């Protein structure tokens, strides 16, 4: 007896229950030509405790502690050898947690050498060197979220 729809509502309910029980956000099942994907969006309410006001700062602040912060933030983007992030994701400097980083400050790289990985939507994207040179600065830590256009490292 043929059903009106190829999707089994009981299977969809079962997958939805499995999502709730395992705290997954998405599950996909494929059998032959039939493919069912069930996803849910999570909304989180964050409660931030309000702390007592901090004690008053001393009247005299050292100038050196305030001045360098602004130039350091603008320097990477303006540098001609900066490698910007081509996407939003999570940057990984190593192929696995126990491995050594792809590059460090002082590493010599050739065109096409792997610099790091950016994970976006469960896909690892290799970021390769667009030019040969020496890595003179690394601005990210392993596992750090990155934004599109954010400075990753400098090759001179």
């Amino acid at each position: 007896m043929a059903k009106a729809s190829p999707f089994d509502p009981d299977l969809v309910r079962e997958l939805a229950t499995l999502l709730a029980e395992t705290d997954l956000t998405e599950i996909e099942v494929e059998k032959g030509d039939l493919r069912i994907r069930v996803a849910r969006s999570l909304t989180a309410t964050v409660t931030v405790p309000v702390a007592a006001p901090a004690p008053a700062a001393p009247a005299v602040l050292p100038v050196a502690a305030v001045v360098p912060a602004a130039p350091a933030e603008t320097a990477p983007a303006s540098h001609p050898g900066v490698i910007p992030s081509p996407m939003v994701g999570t940057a990984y400097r190593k192929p696995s947690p126990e491995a050594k980083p792809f590059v460090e400050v002082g590493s010599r790289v050739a065109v096409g050498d792997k610099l790091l990985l950016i994970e976006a939507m469960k896909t690892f994207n290799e970021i390769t060197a667009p030019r040969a040179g020496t890595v003179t600065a690394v601005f990210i830590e392993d596992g750090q979220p990155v934004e599109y256009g954010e400075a990753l490292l400098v090759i001179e």
Side-chain angles (χ1 to χ4, degrees):
M1 182 172 179
K3 291 184 178 180
S5 172
F7 298 106
D8 181 6
D10 292 331
L11 178 58
V12 174
R13 279 190 204 92
E14 185 177 330
L15 291 173
T17 302
L18 184 60
L19 281 178
E21 290 173 355
T22 59
D23 289 332
L24 293 172
T25 56
E26 163 180 332
I27 190 167
E28 186 170 335
V29 177
E30 188 173 342
K31 184 176 181 182
D33 291 339
L34 178 66
R35 190 161 117 186
I36 299 175
R37 179 176 166 261
V38 178
R40 66 182 174 139
S41 61
L42 298 176
T43 56
T45 303
V46 179
T47 305
V48 180
V50 178
V60 179
L61 291 175
V63 176
V66 176
V67 176
E73 291 176 11
T74 57
S78 64
H79 192 284
V82 75
I83 307 299
S85 176
M87 65 187 67
V88 174
T90 303
Y92 294 98
R93 296 187 54 211
K94 305 183 281 188
S96 66
E98 62 277 348
K100 64 179 186 171
F102 292 112
V103 294
E104 292 283 355
V105 172
S107 298
R108 299 264 322 141
V109 295
V111 174
D113 283 356
K114 195 181 306 182
L115 302 172
L116 53 98
L117 300 171
I118 295 183
E119 179 189 9
M121 298 181 70
K122 300 181 185 177
T123 302
F124 286 91
N125 303 281
E126 293 182 359
I127 307 305
T128 57
R131 61 186 157 280
T134 303
V135 176
T136 58
V138 177
F139 301 114
I140 58 159
E141 296 296 323
D142 192 51
Q144 173 182 330
V146 294
E147 296 291 328
Y148 174 79
E150 180 177 342
L152 302 172
L153 49 91
V154 174
I155 298 176
E156 291 183 348

